Amino acid sequence: MPEGDTIRRLADRLHRHVSGRTIARSVFRHNRYATRDLAGLRIDVVDAAGKHLLMRLSAEGRRPITIHSHLRMSGRWSIGLPPRTPPWRRRIELWLPDAKPLVGIDLPVLDVGPTADEHRWVGHLGPDLCATSFDGDLAVANLRAAGSVPLGGALLDQRNLAGIGNLYAVELPFMAGVSPWFPSGRVDGLEHLVAVARALLPVNAELGPQTTTGNARRGRTHWIYGRRGRPCPRCSTALQVARESDVPWGRVTTWCPRCQPGPDAVDHAHVDPERLRRLVAGHRLVARALGRSGQHGPRHSRSG
Ligand SMILES: [Zn+2]
């Protein structure tokens, strides 16, 4: 599933392509919207809220409308008709004069409704890691309030903070030296972990590629995510992997039992700021963003 930085990047790319253009013809292959016609509406903004994509449309004398989508595991947006994708998988097509159409493919979540009601789709989200303003104190308080929920699950709960998918839910606890199994409410120093997330996601969203190590080389972009059966890059202990079905938060989870001692081994978990600082140092733009801003990253959001 794409992370918040990937969706932010997608929103920016779509915005550059379509903003200010008026829809000439729309096609929905969706039972709820099959007869809906968006022709005549101008695409004002393509924005992201956490992992949700919001396309805001308006026209003189009509109330503003938002197209909301969430890609989950399968969905994607394409600029231009994708070859080899049969029409029935193209849930929505927005045809624009003098431009390639925007096509939403296999979208598991697709809604159309008044812009004034966007909160129905995104009102539950916690502070958004890729938004212009970010309330880090609130994100930390939410993670603490998650109490007995293991840190990995608390990070993935978009109500606590928005934008983290499984990649960062594995990488951030490793970088912090905390077990993803440790109850979130009993982890000290979460403000350091949140500050790194707040630097990491916006930098990756703006510049890409999506890397936690700062290394863009294939196979080197992440510390432990997807490295099952490999030694820990810090201490060489064999990494542990739990399958989705064995994890309460339902995602494949990787951790180093030595760098990230579990709740059975220690009473209390502490985010290790020194370890975080060392591991972030290789990602120079992130290290710089951290040094510069603390709570405020470099992103610009079009959210109103
Ligand atoms: Zn280790």
mmCIF file of all heavy atoms in Angstrom, residues 260-294:
data_model
loop_
_atom_site.group_PDB
_atom_site.id
_atom_site.type_symbol
_atom_site.label_atom_id
_atom_site.label_comp_id
_atom_site.label_asym_id
_atom_site.label_seq_id
_atom_site.Cartn_x
_atom_site.Cartn_y
_atom_site.Cartn_z
ATOM 1 N N GLN A 260 16.121 -3.921 18.844
ATOM 2 C CA GLN A 260 14.758 -3.556 19.238
ATOM 3 C C GLN A 260 14.217 -4.593 20.231
ATOM 4 O O GLN A 260 13.329 -5.382 19.874
ATOM 5 C CB GLN A 260 13.851 -3.505 18.003
ATOM 6 C CG GLN A 260 14.295 -2.528 16.919
ATOM 7 C CD GLN A 260 13.525 -2.748 15.629
ATOM 8 O OE1 GLN A 260 13.926 -3.529 14.781
ATOM 9 N NE2 GLN A 260 12.394 -2.083 15.481
ATOM 10 N N PRO A 261 14.744 -4.629 21.445
ATOM 11 C CA PRO A 261 14.322 -5.666 22.392
ATOM 12 C C PRO A 261 12.829 -5.569 22.686
ATOM 13 O O PRO A 261 12.287 -4.477 22.843
ATOM 14 C CB PRO A 261 15.167 -5.378 23.637
ATOM 15 C CG PRO A 261 15.664 -3.985 23.480
ATOM 16 C CD PRO A 261 15.735 -3.709 22.021
ATOM 17 N N GLY A 262 12.181 -6.710 22.743
ATOM 18 C CA GLY A 262 10.716 -6.760 22.847
ATOM 19 C C GLY A 262 10.229 -6.578 24.267
ATOM 20 O O GLY A 262 11.011 -6.523 25.213
ATOM 21 N N PRO A 263 8.908 -6.467 24.393
ATOM 22 C CA PRO A 263 8.314 -6.206 25.706
ATOM 23 C C PRO A 263 8.596 -7.319 26.725
ATOM 24 O O PRO A 263 8.535 -7.068 27.922
ATOM 25 C CB PRO A 263 6.817 -6.074 25.413
ATOM 26 C CG PRO A 263 6.607 -6.467 24.020
ATOM 27 C CD PRO A 263 7.905 -6.494 23.309
ATOM 28 N N ASP A 264 8.898 -8.520 26.240
ATOM 29 C CA ASP A 264 9.218 -9.588 27.196
ATOM 30 C C ASP A 264 10.603 -9.416 27.786
ATOM 31 O O ASP A 264 10.889 -9.898 28.873
ATOM 32 C CB ASP A 264 9.148 -10.956 26.503
ATOM 33 C CG ASP A 264 7.725 -11.265 26.056
ATOM 34 O OD1 ASP A 264 6.801 -10.668 26.643
ATOM 35 O OD2 ASP A 264 7.561 -12.072 25.128
ATOM 36 N N ALA A 265 11.472 -8.734 27.048
ATOM 37 C CA ALA A 265 12.874 -8.627 27.466
ATOM 38 C C ALA A 265 13.134 -7.415 28.352
ATOM 39 O O ALA A 265 14.008 -7.448 29.210
ATOM 40 C CB ALA A 265 13.778 -8.563 26.229
ATOM 41 N N VAL A 266 12.389 -6.342 28.153
ATOM 42 C CA VAL A 266 12.634 -5.105 28.922
ATOM 43 C C VAL A 266 11.301 -4.514 29.382
ATOM 44 O O VAL A 266 10.271 -4.711 28.753
ATOM 45 C CB VAL A 266 13.391 -4.046 28.069
ATOM 46 C CG1 VAL A 266 14.843 -4.450 27.842
ATOM 47 C CG2 VAL A 266 12.700 -3.820 26.739
ATOM 48 N N ASP A 267 11.348 -3.785 30.491
ATOM 49 C CA ASP A 267 10.131 -3.183 31.044
ATOM 50 C C ASP A 267 9.709 -1.949 30.267
ATOM 51 O O ASP A 267 8.537 -1.683 30.093
ATOM 52 C CB ASP A 267 10.380 -2.726 32.492
ATOM 53 C CG ASP A 267 10.389 -3.916 33.428
ATOM 54 O OD1 ASP A 267 9.856 -4.972 33.023
ATOM 55 O OD2 ASP A 267 10.952 -3.792 34.526
ATOM 56 N N HIS A 268 10.725 -1.198 29.890
ATOM 57 C CA HIS A 268 10.442 0.104 29.326
ATOM 58 C C HIS A 268 11.191 0.266 28.013
ATOM 59 O O HIS A 268 12.311 -0.209 27.880
ATOM 60 C CB HIS A 268 10.874 1.199 30.311
ATOM 61 C CG HIS A 268 9.802 2.196 30.542
ATOM 62 N ND1 HIS A 268 8.732 1.960 31.372
ATOM 63 C CD2 HIS A 268 9.600 3.433 30.022
ATOM 64 C CE1 HIS A 268 7.936 3.016 31.365
ATOM 65 N NE2 HIS A 268 8.441 3.925 30.548
ATOM 66 N N ALA A 269 10.595 0.943 27.080
ATOM 67 C CA ALA A 269 11.283 1.191 25.815
ATOM 68 C C ALA A 269 11.561 2.684 25.692
ATOM 69 O O ALA A 269 10.731 3.518 26.059
ATOM 70 C CB ALA A 269 10.414 0.734 24.660
ATOM 71 N N HIS A 270 12.729 3.008 25.188
ATOM 72 C CA HIS A 270 13.116 4.406 24.991
ATOM 73 C C HIS A 270 13.519 4.577 23.535
ATOM 74 O O HIS A 270 14.341 3.808 23.042
ATOM 75 C CB HIS A 270 14.343 4.783 25.831
ATOM 76 C CG HIS A 270 14.166 4.535 27.288
ATOM 77 N ND1 HIS A 270 13.753 5.500 28.157
ATOM 78 C CD2 HIS A 270 14.349 3.403 28.016
ATOM 79 C CE1 HIS A 270 13.683 4.988 29.372
ATOM 80 N NE2 HIS A 270 14.038 3.718 29.314
ATOM 81 N N VAL A 271 12.967 5.575 22.879
ATOM 82 C CA VAL A 271 13.505 5.956 21.579
ATOM 83 C C VAL A 271 14.933 6.435 21.827
ATOM 84 O O VAL A 271 15.183 7.214 22.745
ATOM 85 C CB VAL A 271 12.654 7.078 20.946
ATOM 86 C CG1 VAL A 271 13.362 7.677 19.744
ATOM 87 C CG2 VAL A 271 11.284 6.548 20.560
ATOM 88 N N ASP A 272 15.852 5.934 21.012
ATOM 89 C CA ASP A 272 17.262 6.282 21.178
ATOM 90 C C ASP A 272 17.594 7.440 20.226
ATOM 91 O O ASP A 272 17.795 7.225 19.024
ATOM 92 C CB ASP A 272 18.106 5.042 20.846
ATOM 93 C CG ASP A 272 19.598 5.303 20.998
ATOM 94 O OD1 ASP A 272 20.000 6.477 21.093
ATOM 95 O OD2 ASP A 272 20.357 4.317 20.996
ATOM 96 N N PRO A 273 17.627 8.685 20.718
ATOM 97 C CA PRO A 273 17.823 9.832 19.814
ATOM 98 C C PRO A 273 19.173 9.796 19.115
ATOM 99 O O PRO A 273 19.293 10.239 17.964
ATOM 100 C CB PRO A 273 17.721 11.051 20.725
ATOM 101 C CG PRO A 273 17.504 10.571 22.104
ATOM 102 C CD PRO A 273 17.517 9.075 22.136
ATOM 103 N N GLU A 274 20.178 9.243 19.788
ATOM 104 C CA GLU A 274 21.518 9.175 19.194
ATOM 105 C C GLU A 274 21.535 8.205 18.014
ATOM 106 O O GLU A 274 22.096 8.487 16.956
ATOM 107 C CB GLU A 274 22.519 8.741 20.283
ATOM 108 C CG GLU A 274 23.975 8.787 19.864
ATOM 109 C CD GLU A 274 24.386 10.132 19.271
ATOM 110 O OE1 GLU A 274 23.843 11.186 19.672
ATOM 111 O OE2 GLU A 274 25.239 10.114 18.374
ATOM 112 N N ARG A 275 20.884 7.057 18.196
ATOM 113 C CA ARG A 275 20.779 6.073 17.108
ATOM 114 C C ARG A 275 19.995 6.674 15.928
ATOM 115 O O ARG A 275 20.414 6.550 14.774
ATOM 116 C CB ARG A 275 20.074 4.819 17.630
ATOM 117 C CG ARG A 275 19.801 3.741 16.573
ATOM 118 C CD ARG A 275 19.008 2.595 17.197
ATOM 119 N NE ARG A 275 18.489 1.682 16.203
ATOM 120 C CZ ARG A 275 19.095 0.542 15.839
ATOM 121 N NH1 ARG A 275 20.215 0.186 16.395
ATOM 122 N NH2 ARG A 275 18.554 -0.231 14.917
ATOM 123 N N LEU A 276 18.874 7.355 16.241
ATOM 124 C CA LEU A 276 18.095 8.015 15.189
ATOM 125 C C LEU A 276 18.972 8.990 14.414
ATOM 126 O O LEU A 276 18.953 9.022 13.185
ATOM 127 C CB LEU A 276 16.932 8.787 15.811
ATOM 128 C CG LEU A 276 15.579 8.097 15.945
ATOM 129 C CD1 LEU A 276 14.605 9.021 16.649
ATOM 130 C CD2 LEU A 276 15.021 7.688 14.592
ATOM 131 N N ARG A 277 19.737 9.796 15.163
ATOM 132 C CA ARG A 277 20.571 10.808 14.531
ATOM 133 C C ARG A 277 21.608 10.158 13.606
ATOM 134 O O ARG A 277 21.829 10.605 12.488
ATOM 135 C CB ARG A 277 21.279 11.642 15.616
ATOM 136 C CG ARG A 277 21.798 12.995 15.157
ATOM 137 C CD ARG A 277 22.674 13.653 16.201
ATOM 138 N NE ARG A 277 23.794 12.822 16.621
ATOM 139 C CZ ARG A 277 24.892 12.610 15.891
ATOM 140 N NH1 ARG A 277 25.020 13.161 14.707
ATOM 141 N NH2 ARG A 277 25.861 11.831 16.341
ATOM 142 N N ARG A 278 22.207 9.059 14.081
ATOM 143 C CA ARG A 278 23.210 8.357 13.253
ATOM 144 C C ARG A 278 22.583 7.784 11.992
ATOM 145 O O ARG A 278 23.154 7.840 10.911
ATOM 146 C CB ARG A 278 23.850 7.212 14.063
ATOM 147 C CG ARG A 278 24.989 7.635 14.968
ATOM 148 C CD ARG A 278 25.864 6.434 15.327
ATOM 149 N NE ARG A 278 25.091 5.286 15.804
ATOM 150 C CZ ARG A 278 24.724 5.097 17.084
ATOM 151 N NH1 ARG A 278 25.064 5.988 18.001
ATOM 152 N NH2 ARG A 278 24.029 4.039 17.440
ATOM 153 N N LEU A 279 21.413 7.184 12.153
ATOM 154 C CA LEU A 279 20.794 6.525 10.998
ATOM 155 C C LEU A 279 20.210 7.518 9.993
ATOM 156 O O LEU A 279 20.098 7.217 8.806
ATOM 157 C CB LEU A 279 19.727 5.524 11.468
ATOM 158 C CG LEU A 279 20.260 4.098 11.669
ATOM 159 C CD1 LEU A 279 21.361 4.063 12.712
ATOM 160 C CD2 LEU A 279 19.164 3.130 12.027
ATOM 161 N N VAL A 280 19.844 8.692 10.486
ATOM 162 C CA VAL A 280 19.298 9.711 9.580
ATOM 163 C C VAL A 280 20.431 10.464 8.865
ATOM 164 O O VAL A 280 20.218 11.031 7.795
ATOM 165 C CB VAL A 280 18.390 10.686 10.376
ATOM 166 C CG1 VAL A 280 18.226 11.997 9.673
ATOM 167 C CG2 VAL A 280 17.028 10.045 10.612
ATOM 168 N N ALA A 281 21.626 10.411 9.446
ATOM 169 C CA ALA A 281 22.730 11.231 8.922
ATOM 170 C C ALA A 281 23.008 10.961 7.446
ATOM 171 O O ALA A 281 23.409 11.869 6.702
ATOM 172 C CB ALA A 281 23.987 11.009 9.757
ATOM 173 N N GLY A 282 22.786 9.705 6.994
ATOM 174 C CA GLY A 282 23.053 9.365 5.596
ATOM 175 C C GLY A 282 22.046 9.968 4.633
ATOM 176 O O GLY A 282 22.275 10.037 3.428
ATOM 177 N N HIS A 283 20.895 10.359 5.157
ATOM 178 C CA HIS A 283 19.859 10.980 4.331
ATOM 179 C C HIS A 283 19.995 12.483 4.566
ATOM 180 O O HIS A 283 19.330 13.068 5.409
ATOM 181 C CB HIS A 283 18.487 10.480 4.792
ATOM 182 C CG HIS A 283 17.413 10.591 3.752
ATOM 183 N ND1 HIS A 283 17.302 11.675 2.918
ATOM 184 C CD2 HIS A 283 16.395 9.759 3.404
ATOM 185 C CE1 HIS A 283 16.268 11.489 2.109
ATOM 186 N NE2 HIS A 283 15.698 10.330 2.380
ATOM 187 N N ARG A 284 20.878 13.105 3.819
ATOM 188 C CA ARG A 284 21.326 14.447 4.180
ATOM 189 C C ARG A 284 20.211 15.480 4.216
ATOM 190 O O ARG A 284 20.190 16.347 5.073
ATOM 191 C CB ARG A 284 22.420 14.907 3.206
ATOM 192 C CG ARG A 284 23.755 14.344 3.625
ATOM 193 C CD ARG A 284 24.882 15.001 2.900
ATOM 194 N NE ARG A 284 25.888 13.973 2.630
ATOM 195 C CZ ARG A 284 26.572 13.878 1.519
ATOM 196 N NH1 ARG A 284 26.374 14.751 0.566
ATOM 197 N NH2 ARG A 284 27.454 12.924 1.357
ATOM 198 N N LEU A 285 19.286 15.357 3.233
ATOM 199 C CA LEU A 285 18.215 16.367 3.203
ATOM 200 C C LEU A 285 17.296 16.223 4.406
ATOM 201 O O LEU A 285 16.772 17.210 4.923
ATOM 202 C CB LEU A 285 17.422 16.220 1.902
ATOM 203 C CG LEU A 285 18.224 16.597 0.659
ATOM 204 C CD1 LEU A 285 17.507 16.139 -0.595
ATOM 205 C CD2 LEU A 285 18.446 18.108 0.630
ATOM 206 N N VAL A 286 17.122 14.974 4.853
ATOM 207 C CA VAL A 286 16.284 14.745 6.028
ATOM 208 C C VAL A 286 16.999 15.261 7.267
ATOM 209 O O VAL A 286 16.398 15.930 8.117
ATOM 210 C CB VAL A 286 15.943 13.244 6.171
ATOM 211 C CG1 VAL A 286 15.237 12.980 7.498
ATOM 212 C CG2 VAL A 286 15.073 12.790 5.018
ATOM 213 N N ALA A 287 18.288 14.972 7.371
ATOM 214 C CA ALA A 287 19.064 15.457 8.516
ATOM 215 C C ALA A 287 19.024 16.981 8.562
ATOM 216 O O ALA A 287 18.877 17.587 9.623
ATOM 217 C CB ALA A 287 20.501 14.949 8.415
ATOM 218 N N ARG A 288 19.114 17.587 7.373
ATOM 219 C CA ARG A 288 19.092 19.047 7.309
ATOM 220 C C ARG A 288 17.707 19.575 7.717
ATOM 221 O O ARG A 288 17.587 20.525 8.475
ATOM 222 C CB ARG A 288 19.440 19.515 5.890
ATOM 223 C CG ARG A 288 20.019 20.911 5.862
ATOM 224 C CD ARG A 288 20.343 21.349 4.447
ATOM 225 N NE ARG A 288 21.297 20.476 3.771
ATOM 226 C CZ ARG A 288 21.442 20.420 2.450
ATOM 227 N NH1 ARG A 288 20.701 21.162 1.666
ATOM 228 N NH2 ARG A 288 22.334 19.625 1.912
ATOM 229 N N ALA A 289 16.653 18.928 7.208
ATOM 230 C CA ALA A 289 15.286 19.353 7.536
ATOM 231 C C ALA A 289 15.055 19.234 9.039
ATOM 232 O O ALA A 289 14.422 20.098 9.651
ATOM 233 C CB ALA A 289 14.267 18.510 6.779
ATOM 234 N N LEU A 290 15.591 18.184 9.632
ATOM 235 C CA LEU A 290 15.438 17.976 11.077
ATOM 236 C C LEU A 290 16.149 19.078 11.843
ATOM 237 O O LEU A 290 15.604 19.644 12.789
ATOM 238 C CB LEU A 290 16.091 16.651 11.474
ATOM 239 C CG LEU A 290 15.202 15.438 11.655
ATOM 240 C CD1 LEU A 290 16.062 14.245 12.024
ATOM 241 C CD2 LEU A 290 14.142 15.681 12.701
ATOM 242 N N GLY A 291 17.356 19.375 11.427
ATOM 243 C CA GLY A 291 18.137 20.390 12.106
ATOM 244 C C GLY A 291 17.505 21.759 11.983
ATOM 245 O O GLY A 291 17.528 22.562 12.894
ATOM 246 N N ARG A 292 16.866 21.988 10.821
ATOM 247 C CA ARG A 292 16.346 23.320 10.529
ATOM 248 C C ARG A 292 15.049 23.602 11.252
ATOM 249 O O ARG A 292 14.841 24.684 11.763
ATOM 250 C CB ARG A 292 16.110 23.431 9.015
ATOM 251 C CG ARG A 292 15.708 24.797 8.528
ATOM 252 C CD ARG A 292 15.615 24.817 7.014
ATOM 253 N NE ARG A 292 14.686 23.826 6.515
ATOM 254 C CZ ARG A 292 14.951 22.979 5.540
ATOM 255 N NH1 ARG A 292 16.129 22.986 4.944
ATOM 256 N NH2 ARG A 292 14.067 22.101 5.127
ATOM 257 N N SER A 293 14.153 22.585 11.255
ATOM 258 C CA SER A 293 12.767 22.960 11.496
ATOM 259 C C SER A 293 12.077 22.289 12.666
ATOM 260 O O SER A 293 11.115 22.831 13.174
ATOM 261 C CB SER A 293 11.975 22.643 10.244
ATOM 262 O OG SER A 293 12.131 21.286 9.952
ATOM 263 N N GLY A 294 12.502 21.136 13.089
ATOM 264 C CA GLY A 294 11.734 20.449 14.119
ATOM 265 C C GLY A 294 10.349 20.103 13.603
ATOM 266 O O GLY A 294 10.181 19.165 12.864
#
